[in-house]
């Protein structure tokens, strides 16, 4: 396993992203984190974000033990509260094919938030299958499966404080 992005670099970038989000949402923001992968990013982002901030969570089907997208997004847990008229930022771990995020954005936009933006810690544009707008991107990475800082491979490695590349990609087809 090789470190791709160190813990220090992540923390620095997350603070910058929090400053950008605060600048764009001076009246406060409603953060919606996508479980499970975004939980570590959300936790650091939220603590770097001064001022009014509320939270909700969604869970969607993930790759499980595979490392390629099926293109199917299943809503496993919906929000606890409505978002009509609210300034919402989706908090995601990584945008890869973009299929998950496009689906989530469509679902949330249909609920009439006042604004809807997206923050992703990582983006892997080389694998994009659909155009998707992400206002806040932490790091752009190359075409390697990564783990750590919330991201898993078969539910392992989420607890690493850095982003790492797996030498052996067990889920590759
Ligand atoms: P997309 O729909 O292909 O953009 O996939 C998004 C989701 O797939 C992310 O929210 C992650 O949960 C998962 N994912 C994509 N790439 C990786 C990776 O390199 N490591 C771990 N999970 C990943």
């Amino acid at each position: 396993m090789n470190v791709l992005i160190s813990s220090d670099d992540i923390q620095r970038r997350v603070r910058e992203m929090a400053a950008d989000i605060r600048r764009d949402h001076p009246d406060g923001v409603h953060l919606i984190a996508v479980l499970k992968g975004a939980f570590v990013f959300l936790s650091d982002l939220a603590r770097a974000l001064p001022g009014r901030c509320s939270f909700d969570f969604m869970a969607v089907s993930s790759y499980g033990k595979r490392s390629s997208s099926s293109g199917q997004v299943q809503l496993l847990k919906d929000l606890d509260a409505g978002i009509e008229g609210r300034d919402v930022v989706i908090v995601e771990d990584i945008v890869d094919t973009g299929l998950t995020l496009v689906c989530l954005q469509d679902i949330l936009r249909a609920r009439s938030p006042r604004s809807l933006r997206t923050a992703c810690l990582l983006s892997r544009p080389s694998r994009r299958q659909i155009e998707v707008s992400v206002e806040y991107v932490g790091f752009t990475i190359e075409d390697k499966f990564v783990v750590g800082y919330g991201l898993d491979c078969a539910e392992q490695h989420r607890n690493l404080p850095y982003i790492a590349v797996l030498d052996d990609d067990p889920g590759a087809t």
Side-chain angles (χ1 to χ4, degrees):
M1 198 180 291
N2 301 307
V3 177
L4 183 67
I5 308 171
S6 71
S7 177
D8 283 352
D9 286 348
I10 294 173
Q11 295 304 324
R12 199 173 307 120
R13 186 73 188 109
V14 168
R15 281 196 296 273
E16 291 172 356
M17 295 175 82
D20 290 346
I21 291 172
R22 174 54 65 216
R23 179 202 59 212
D24 295 341
H25 305 85
D27 301 332
V29 65
H30 188 57
L31 298 179
I32 294 181
V34 186
L35 298 171
K36 303 174 191 168
F39 80 101
V40 180
F41 177 36
L42 173 78
S43 151
D44 284 342
L45 186 69
R47 285 177 293 174
L49 199 56
R52 290 178 62 81
C53 191
S54 51
F55 305 90
D56 210 338
F57 298 89
M58 283 181 114
V60 296
S61 57
S62 73
Y63 295 172
K65 292 180 183 171
R66 294 163 50 85
S67 60
S68 58
S69 177
S70 63
Q72 300 287 323
V73 173
Q74 196 189 348
L75 201 55
L76 303 176
K77 182 215 172 295
D78 204 345
L79 299 176
D80 290 338
I83 56 170
E84 191 177 342
R86 306 182 83 162
D87 292 309
V88 171
V89 172
I90 301 172
V91 179
E92 245 296 32
D93 50 5
I94 181 168
V95 52
D96 187 34
T97 64
L99 296 168
T100 307
L101 199 49
V102 161
C103 183
L104 279 176
Q105 289 177 345
D106 286 348
I107 291 170
L108 296 180
R109 206 173 288 117
R111 300 181 186 183
S112 308
R114 185 163 79 157
S115 63
L116 181 66
R117 296 185 175 93
T118 303
C120 286
L121 182 72
L122 304 175
S123 173
R124 192 161 43 213
S126 58
R127 301 217 336 148
R128 208 73 93 241
Q129 290 182 21
I130 189 166
E131 201 177 315
V132 58
S133 60
V134 180
E135 286 76 12
Y136 315 100
V137 174
F139 302 91
T140 298
I141 62 168
E142 56 185 69
D143 192 3
K144 292 272 194 320
F145 192 80
V146 291
V147 296
Y149 201 72
L151 288 149
D152 76 309
C153 180
E155 293 300 330
Q156 292 302 310
H157 312 302
R158 292 191 196 274
N159 53 327
L160 295 174
Y162 49 82
I163 300 285
V165 175
L166 283 182
D167 288 333
D168 182 25
D169 182 349
T173 48

